[in-house]
Amino acid sequence: MQGYNIHANGIRQHLIRYPGQGPELLLIPGITSPAITWGFVGERLAEGFDVHILDVRGRGLSEAGDLDYTLDAMADDVIALAERMNRPVVLGHSMGARTAIRAARKTPEPISGLILVDPPMSGPGRRSYPANWPWYGDSIRVAQKGCGVEEMRRFCPTWTEEQVALRAEWLHTCQWGAIRIAFDGFATDDIHADMPQIRLPARLVIAGGATVVLPEDADEMKSLMPQLEIRKVEGAGHMIPWDDLEGFLAAVLDFTA
């Protein structure tokens, strides 16, 4: 594992690298997941990829403060980073998957392929994202005051001791305003309008035990992106690797662009 900083798209971007022998993979975590919390996944993904996990702006050790936290700004970060790499596969989870979709629609040339892990299907005129804002906002406030495993466990009751401890340690780095803007964007950003313009090889990985991507959502995505491969990790919740790491790896490691 090696952390490093890059100045890209006008800000400091912090990433963690898990070196591997395969093609480069740029991993974009979800709304409140600093890069370090994906470390146990990055270690295993390095069996097939040279893994670089991003601290999304306003989270972890990347730049925060008075910045643009919209989907377009996050997508521009992905593009700027991909341009410095060797046409990486971009793997995005949840908000990160929506970010990858927007980046691939805006500037596909520096990206070789997409792995879209349980992207929220919400948007204008669509059903709401199934998680409620207080789960995010309240847990951030608890972390900002300083909390331990037991206080954080009520937000993540099924996670391991190590996973909860890491979230308790790092969640305070998720800037409240950045998370609020991203959460509100789940209702206002139209990623479905981006999909027909994407020609890159792509795979959708669905959490079979969650309701973020329903069967009809997968069918719609396939109609908008005919090249899309679809894999499902049965029984796993939205945070798929936290529930079934081996199932997640089986759904991802054989992707080729």
Side-chain angles (χ1 to χ4, degrees), residues 211-239:
T211 59
V212 177
V213 181
L214 298 174
E216 55 266 34
D217 298 320
D219 290 343
E220 182 181 12
M221 284 190 68
K222 180 70 173 177
S223 71
L224 297 172
M225 299 173 61
Q227 78 277 25
L228 187 70
E229 303 173 341
I230 300 177
R231 300 284 181 88
K232 182 182 288 187
V233 184
E234 298 289 353
H238 181 57
M239 301 294 289

mmCIF file of all heavy atoms in Angstrom, residues 211-239:
data_model
loop_
_atom_site.group_PDB
_atom_site.id
_atom_site.type_symbol
_atom_site.label_atom_id
_atom_site.label_comp_id
_atom_site.label_asym_id
_atom_site.label_seq_id
_atom_site.Cartn_x
_atom_site.Cartn_y
_atom_site.Cartn_z
ATOM 1 N N THR A 211 -32.053 -2.930 -2.601
ATOM 2 C CA THR A 211 -33.081 -2.457 -3.534
ATOM 3 C C THR A 211 -32.621 -1.228 -4.308
ATOM 4 O O THR A 211 -33.434 -0.490 -4.837
ATOM 5 C CB THR A 211 -34.381 -2.138 -2.787
ATOM 6 O OG1 THR A 211 -34.124 -1.131 -1.789
ATOM 7 C CG2 THR A 211 -34.948 -3.371 -2.113
ATOM 8 N N VAL A 212 -31.306 -1.015 -4.362
ATOM 9 C CA VAL A 212 -30.778 0.144 -5.081
ATOM 10 C C VAL A 212 -30.950 -0.042 -6.581
ATOM 11 O O VAL A 212 -31.364 0.875 -7.302
ATOM 12 C CB VAL A 212 -29.306 0.377 -4.707
ATOM 13 C CG1 VAL A 212 -28.723 1.540 -5.526
ATOM 14 C CG2 VAL A 212 -29.172 0.674 -3.219
ATOM 15 N N VAL A 213 -30.628 -1.243 -7.086
ATOM 16 C CA VAL A 213 -30.810 -1.580 -8.499
ATOM 17 C C VAL A 213 -31.785 -2.750 -8.570
ATOM 18 O O VAL A 213 -31.443 -3.878 -8.208
ATOM 19 C CB VAL A 213 -29.480 -1.952 -9.169
ATOM 20 C CG1 VAL A 213 -29.712 -2.267 -10.653
ATOM 21 C CG2 VAL A 213 -28.458 -0.824 -9.026
ATOM 22 N N LEU A 214 -32.995 -2.482 -9.027
ATOM 23 C CA LEU A 214 -34.016 -3.508 -9.171
ATOM 24 C C LEU A 214 -33.894 -4.176 -10.543
ATOM 25 O O LEU A 214 -33.233 -3.629 -11.442
ATOM 26 C CB LEU A 214 -35.400 -2.886 -9.000
ATOM 27 C CG LEU A 214 -35.688 -2.236 -7.634
ATOM 28 C CD1 LEU A 214 -37.043 -1.546 -7.662
ATOM 29 C CD2 LEU A 214 -35.607 -3.260 -6.512
ATOM 30 N N PRO A 215 -34.519 -5.337 -10.746
ATOM 31 C CA PRO A 215 -34.419 -6.001 -12.052
ATOM 32 C C PRO A 215 -34.829 -5.104 -13.214
ATOM 33 O O PRO A 215 -34.195 -5.122 -14.278
ATOM 34 C CB PRO A 215 -35.356 -7.199 -11.897
ATOM 35 C CG PRO A 215 -35.329 -7.515 -10.434
ATOM 36 C CD PRO A 215 -35.222 -6.183 -9.753
ATOM 37 N N GLU A 216 -35.875 -4.311 -13.010
ATOM 38 C CA GLU A 216 -36.305 -3.423 -14.091
ATOM 39 C C GLU A 216 -35.288 -2.317 -14.359
ATOM 40 O O GLU A 216 -35.164 -1.823 -15.480
ATOM 41 C CB GLU A 216 -37.676 -2.821 -13.806
ATOM 42 C CG GLU A 216 -37.803 -2.072 -12.479
ATOM 43 C CD GLU A 216 -38.328 -2.943 -11.349
ATOM 44 O OE1 GLU A 216 -38.010 -4.160 -11.333
ATOM 45 O OE2 GLU A 216 -39.048 -2.400 -10.485
ATOM 46 N N ASP A 217 -34.525 -1.921 -13.317
ATOM 47 C CA ASP A 217 -33.459 -0.939 -13.520
ATOM 48 C C ASP A 217 -32.342 -1.523 -14.375
ATOM 49 O O ASP A 217 -31.817 -0.863 -15.282
ATOM 50 C CB ASP A 217 -32.874 -0.499 -12.176
ATOM 51 C CG ASP A 217 -33.882 0.195 -11.277
ATOM 52 O OD1 ASP A 217 -34.676 0.991 -11.797
ATOM 53 O OD2 ASP A 217 -33.865 -0.074 -10.064
ATOM 54 N N ALA A 218 -31.977 -2.766 -14.072
ATOM 55 C CA ALA A 218 -30.931 -3.425 -14.853
ATOM 56 C C ALA A 218 -31.358 -3.578 -16.312
ATOM 57 O O ALA A 218 -30.558 -3.365 -17.232
ATOM 58 C CB ALA A 218 -30.610 -4.789 -14.242
ATOM 59 N N ASP A 219 -32.622 -3.914 -16.513
ATOM 60 C CA ASP A 219 -33.125 -4.044 -17.888
ATOM 61 C C ASP A 219 -33.062 -2.707 -18.620
ATOM 62 O O ASP A 219 -32.688 -2.647 -19.806
ATOM 63 C CB ASP A 219 -34.572 -4.545 -17.869
ATOM 64 C CG ASP A 219 -34.690 -6.000 -17.427
ATOM 65 O OD1 ASP A 219 -33.667 -6.713 -17.440
ATOM 66 O OD2 ASP A 219 -35.809 -6.404 -17.052
ATOM 67 N N GLU A 220 -33.422 -1.636 -17.930
ATOM 68 C CA GLU A 220 -33.368 -0.315 -18.560
ATOM 69 C C GLU A 220 -31.927 0.070 -18.895
ATOM 70 O O GLU A 220 -31.649 0.574 -19.996
ATOM 71 C CB GLU A 220 -33.999 0.744 -17.659
ATOM 72 C CG GLU A 220 -34.002 2.128 -18.298
ATOM 73 C CD GLU A 220 -34.602 3.209 -17.411
ATOM 74 O OE1 GLU A 220 -34.814 2.948 -16.210
ATOM 75 O OE2 GLU A 220 -34.837 4.321 -17.924
ATOM 76 N N MET A 221 -31.012 -0.158 -17.968
ATOM 77 C CA MET A 221 -29.607 0.151 -18.242
ATOM 78 C C MET A 221 -29.102 -0.632 -19.449
ATOM 79 O O MET A 221 -28.380 -0.096 -20.292
ATOM 80 C CB MET A 221 -28.743 -0.150 -17.016
ATOM 81 C CG MET A 221 -28.853 0.887 -15.910
ATOM 82 S SD MET A 221 -27.603 0.637 -14.604
ATOM 83 C CE MET A 221 -26.082 1.030 -15.467
ATOM 84 N N LYS A 222 -29.489 -1.884 -19.543
ATOM 85 C CA LYS A 222 -29.070 -2.716 -20.669
ATOM 86 C C LYS A 222 -29.629 -2.188 -21.986
ATOM 87 O O LYS A 222 -28.947 -2.217 -23.021
ATOM 88 C CB LYS A 222 -29.533 -4.163 -20.442
ATOM 89 C CG LYS A 222 -29.162 -5.137 -21.542
ATOM 90 C CD LYS A 222 -27.680 -5.417 -21.586
ATOM 91 C CE LYS A 222 -27.359 -6.522 -22.570
ATOM 92 N NZ LYS A 222 -25.908 -6.773 -22.691
ATOM 93 N N SER A 223 -30.855 -1.653 -21.945
ATOM 94 C CA SER A 223 -31.436 -1.087 -23.163
ATOM 95 C C SER A 223 -30.727 0.196 -23.581
ATOM 96 O O SER A 223 -30.639 0.514 -24.767
ATOM 97 C CB SER A 223 -32.931 -0.817 -22.963
ATOM 98 O OG SER A 223 -33.157 0.281 -22.091
ATOM 99 N N LEU A 224 -30.211 0.944 -22.590
ATOM 100 C CA LEU A 224 -29.511 2.191 -22.875
ATOM 101 C C LEU A 224 -28.039 1.975 -23.210
ATOM 102 O O LEU A 224 -27.435 2.782 -23.922
ATOM 103 C CB LEU A 224 -29.625 3.128 -21.666
ATOM 104 C CG LEU A 224 -31.039 3.590 -21.303
ATOM 105 C CD1 LEU A 224 -31.029 4.350 -19.988
ATOM 106 C CD2 LEU A 224 -31.626 4.458 -22.410
ATOM 107 N N MET A 225 -27.452 0.885 -22.682
ATOM 108 C CA MET A 225 -26.057 0.538 -22.921
ATOM 109 C C MET A 225 -26.019 -0.929 -23.352
ATOM 110 O O MET A 225 -25.765 -1.817 -22.528
ATOM 111 C CB MET A 225 -25.215 0.764 -21.664
ATOM 112 C CG MET A 225 -25.181 2.194 -21.167
ATOM 113 S SD MET A 225 -24.333 2.355 -19.555
ATOM 114 C CE MET A 225 -22.686 1.772 -19.951
ATOM 115 N N PRO A 226 -26.273 -1.237 -24.598
ATOM 116 C CA PRO A 226 -26.369 -2.644 -25.036
ATOM 117 C C PRO A 226 -25.122 -3.469 -24.758
ATOM 118 O O PRO A 226 -25.197 -4.699 -24.666
ATOM 119 C CB PRO A 226 -26.643 -2.521 -26.536
ATOM 120 C CG PRO A 226 -27.239 -1.162 -26.713
ATOM 121 C CD PRO A 226 -26.576 -0.298 -25.689
ATOM 122 N N GLN A 227 -23.977 -2.828 -24.640
ATOM 123 C CA GLN A 227 -22.727 -3.553 -24.380
ATOM 124 C C GLN A 227 -22.597 -3.972 -22.918
ATOM 125 O O GLN A 227 -21.639 -4.683 -22.547
ATOM 126 C CB GLN A 227 -21.526 -2.681 -24.774
ATOM 127 C CG GLN A 227 -21.136 -1.580 -23.780
ATOM 128 C CD GLN A 227 -21.943 -0.300 -23.916
ATOM 129 O OE1 GLN A 227 -23.066 -0.314 -24.389
ATOM 130 N NE2 GLN A 227 -21.360 0.817 -23.514
ATOM 131 N N LEU A 228 -23.518 -3.561 -22.071
ATOM 132 C CA LEU A 228 -23.408 -3.768 -20.633
ATOM 133 C C LEU A 228 -23.516 -5.245 -20.262
ATOM 134 O O LEU A 228 -24.473 -5.929 -20.625
ATOM 135 C CB LEU A 228 -24.513 -2.978 -19.921
ATOM 136 C CG LEU A 228 -24.473 -2.917 -18.404
ATOM 137 C CD1 LEU A 228 -23.300 -2.050 -17.940
ATOM 138 C CD2 LEU A 228 -25.791 -2.354 -17.853
ATOM 139 N N GLU A 229 -22.522 -5.756 -19.513
ATOM 140 C CA GLU A 229 -22.603 -7.059 -18.861
ATOM 141 C C GLU A 229 -23.223 -6.875 -17.486
ATOM 142 O O GLU A 229 -23.013 -5.832 -16.855
ATOM 143 C CB GLU A 229 -21.217 -7.683 -18.693
ATOM 144 C CG GLU A 229 -20.428 -7.858 -19.965
ATOM 145 C CD GLU A 229 -19.014 -8.332 -19.681
ATOM 146 O OE1 GLU A 229 -18.539 -8.174 -18.537
ATOM 147 O OE2 GLU A 229 -18.386 -8.837 -20.607
ATOM 148 N N ILE A 230 -23.948 -7.861 -17.011
ATOM 149 C CA ILE A 230 -24.608 -7.737 -15.716
ATOM 150 C C ILE A 230 -24.238 -8.925 -14.843
ATOM 151 O O ILE A 230 -24.356 -10.076 -15.269
ATOM 152 C CB ILE A 230 -26.137 -7.643 -15.875
ATOM 153 C CG1 ILE A 230 -26.511 -6.414 -16.709
ATOM 154 C CG2 ILE A 230 -26.823 -7.583 -14.508
ATOM 155 C CD1 ILE A 230 -27.994 -6.269 -16.997
ATOM 156 N N ARG A 231 -23.777 -8.625 -13.633
ATOM 157 C CA ARG A 231 -23.491 -9.644 -12.626
ATOM 158 C C ARG A 231 -24.258 -9.277 -11.346
ATOM 159 O O ARG A 231 -24.408 -8.094 -11.038
ATOM 160 C CB ARG A 231 -21.994 -9.712 -12.313
ATOM 161 C CG ARG A 231 -21.117 -10.054 -13.514
ATOM 162 C CD ARG A 231 -21.181 -11.523 -13.863
ATOM 163 N NE ARG A 231 -20.319 -11.839 -15.008
ATOM 164 C CZ ARG A 231 -19.033 -12.165 -14.897
ATOM 165 N NH1 ARG A 231 -18.453 -12.200 -13.705
ATOM 166 N NH2 ARG A 231 -18.322 -12.454 -15.978
ATOM 167 N N LYS A 232 -24.688 -10.273 -10.620
ATOM 168 C CA LYS A 232 -25.381 -10.048 -9.353
ATOM 169 C C LYS A 232 -24.687 -10.832 -8.247
ATOM 170 O O LYS A 232 -24.328 -11.996 -8.441
ATOM 171 C CB LYS A 232 -26.848 -10.472 -9.450
ATOM 172 C CG LYS A 232 -27.646 -10.228 -8.167
ATOM 173 C CD LYS A 232 -29.083 -10.711 -8.283
ATOM 174 C CE LYS A 232 -29.892 -9.819 -9.197
ATOM 175 N NZ LYS A 232 -31.328 -10.192 -9.169
ATOM 176 N N VAL A 233 -24.480 -10.184 -7.100
ATOM 177 C CA VAL A 233 -23.940 -10.859 -5.924
ATOM 178 C C VAL A 233 -25.122 -11.135 -4.999
ATOM 179 O O VAL A 233 -25.585 -10.247 -4.272
ATOM 180 C CB VAL A 233 -22.862 -10.011 -5.230
ATOM 181 C CG1 VAL A 233 -22.248 -10.784 -4.060
ATOM 182 C CG2 VAL A 233 -21.771 -9.616 -6.230
ATOM 183 N N GLU A 234 -25.635 -12.323 -5.078
ATOM 184 C CA GLU A 234 -26.856 -12.682 -4.359
ATOM 185 C C GLU A 234 -26.669 -12.537 -2.854
ATOM 186 O O GLU A 234 -25.645 -12.939 -2.304
ATOM 187 C CB GLU A 234 -27.255 -14.125 -4.684
ATOM 188 C CG GLU A 234 -27.580 -14.379 -6.154
ATOM 189 C CD GLU A 234 -28.878 -13.743 -6.599
ATOM 190 O OE1 GLU A 234 -29.607 -13.203 -5.750
ATOM 191 O OE2 GLU A 234 -29.166 -13.794 -7.813
ATOM 192 N N GLY A 235 -27.664 -11.937 -2.215
ATOM 193 C CA GLY A 235 -27.659 -11.848 -0.759
ATOM 194 C C GLY A 235 -26.854 -10.702 -0.189
ATOM 195 O O GLY A 235 -26.989 -10.380 0.993
ATOM 196 N N ALA A 236 -26.009 -10.070 -0.984
ATOM 197 C CA ALA A 236 -25.177 -8.979 -0.471
ATOM 198 C C ALA A 236 -25.965 -7.680 -0.432
ATOM 199 O O ALA A 236 -26.762 -7.388 -1.322
ATOM 200 C CB ALA A 236 -23.941 -8.803 -1.339
ATOM 201 N N GLY A 237 -25.734 -6.893 0.618
ATOM 202 C CA GLY A 237 -26.321 -5.563 0.694
ATOM 203 C C GLY A 237 -25.564 -4.584 -0.187
ATOM 204 O O GLY A 237 -24.619 -4.947 -0.901
ATOM 205 N N HIS A 238 -25.975 -3.324 -0.118
ATOM 206 C CA HIS A 238 -25.422 -2.285 -0.997
ATOM 207 C C HIS A 238 -23.905 -2.184 -0.886
ATOM 208 O O HIS A 238 -23.218 -1.984 -1.899
ATOM 209 C CB HIS A 238 -26.086 -0.957 -0.659
ATOM 210 C CG HIS A 238 -25.638 0.197 -1.495
ATOM 211 N ND1 HIS A 238 -25.726 0.201 -2.870
ATOM 212 C CD2 HIS A 238 -25.088 1.400 -1.145
ATOM 213 C CE1 HIS A 238 -25.256 1.350 -3.341
ATOM 214 N NE2 HIS A 238 -24.857 2.087 -2.318
ATOM 215 N N MET A 239 -23.353 -2.344 0.307
ATOM 216 C CA MET A 239 -21.896 -2.334 0.489
ATOM 217 C C MET A 239 -21.384 -3.747 0.218
ATOM 218 O O MET A 239 -20.950 -4.474 1.115
ATOM 219 C CB MET A 239 -21.535 -1.868 1.895
ATOM 220 C CG MET A 239 -22.039 -0.483 2.236
ATOM 221 S SD MET A 239 -21.274 0.835 1.242
ATOM 222 C CE MET A 239 -19.613 0.867 1.917
#
